[in-house]
Amino acid sequence: TEIYTLSLHDALPISPGDGPFRIVYVGRLAPEKCVDDLLRALALIDGADLTIVGDGPRRQELAALCRALGIEDRVEWCGYVPWGPALFAILRRCSTLVLPSATEGLGLVIVEAMSQGLPVVGTRVGGIPELVEDGVSGFLVDVHRPDQLAAALRRLEADPALRLRMAEAALRTARR
């Protein structure tokens, strides 16, 4: 297995504070992943965009929700992208990973995102709290709380220095 790790300087997608604030979700588009909560949170945030990497049974339903929320022009659908350089290139152009799941195992995607210098906003379920140190390498929120997701994302968007500190902590976590 190849390991893709970079220095913080190489891993950061953009200089802190430059360019758009881009959120990324990587995973199946299934009910237990709660991507609808992420879309509702995005609708509460001005100026943020979302990249969705993955596919699944809820794809059309989630696209319809984007239209209903008026955010379809802020959401990029990438479909399935295999692990490796193409996925890491997508992660590196984003500001933070969000994992809004209602149930989750270890959450390998968290380690992948952290290895690319992304802070993580995730729910307090399964293995997520074992990887994401709240307030240090990301933020933990409650399940089915788009308002908490939006608040955490707003904090990251508004504070480039916080994003940088969390990116450094995320890289340290990924190296461990």
Side-chain angles (χ1 to χ4, degrees):
T1 302
E2 292 181 72
I3 297 176
Y4 295 87
T5 57
L6 304 170
S7 70
L8 178 63
H9 174 74
D10 293 334
L12 289 177
I14 53 175
S15 297
D18 293 346
F21 184 73
R22 180 163 287 278
I23 302 157
V24 63
Y25 166 84
V26 179
R28 276 188 43 77
L29 304 180
E32 68 276 7
K33 298 298 184 175
C34 306
V35 178
D36 53 329
D37 291 336
L38 175 53
L39 296 175
R40 287 183 179 91
L42 182 67
L44 300 173
I45 304 168
D46 293 328
D49 294 321
L50 171 64
T51 297
I52 296 178
V53 178
D55 207 349
R58 294 198 65 208
R59 168 68 172 85
Q60 295 307 315
E61 178 184 343
L62 293 169
L65 180 59
C66 282
R67 288 189 296 278
L69 293 170
I71 59 170
E72 66 271 16
D73 60 330
R74 296 169 46 204
V75 178
E76 173 189 21
W77 301 87
C78 294
Y80 171 76
V81 177
W83 185 89
L87 176 60
F88 292 122
I90 291 170
L91 291 172
R92 282 192 302 274
R93 67 181 173 87
C94 295
S95 308
T96 185
L97 173 86
V98 176
L99 199 58
S101 302
T103 180
E104 192 68 44
L106 178 60
L108 184 57
V109 69
I110 293 173
V111 177
E112 294 168 348
M114 287 180 163
S115 79
Q116 304 307 302
L118 269 68
V120 175
V121 177
T123 47
R124 292 180 179 92
V125 299
I128 296 174
E130 294 175 33
L131 295 170
V132 178
E133 190 176 350
D134 192 29
V136 176
S137 58
F139 291 113
L140 296 172
V141 300
D142 295 325
V143 176
H144 298 308
R145 291 296 304 269
D147 59 321
Q148 290 182 11
L149 283 171
L153 292 166
R154 275 193 221 101
R155 278 189 68 191
L156 286 170
E157 180 181 27
D159 192 344
L162 175 64
R163 281 201 317 269
L164 181 59
R165 285 192 308 275
M166 287 187 167
E168 291 168 341
L171 279 171
R172 286 192 301 272
T173 298
R175 285 188 184 115
R176 275 198 312 265

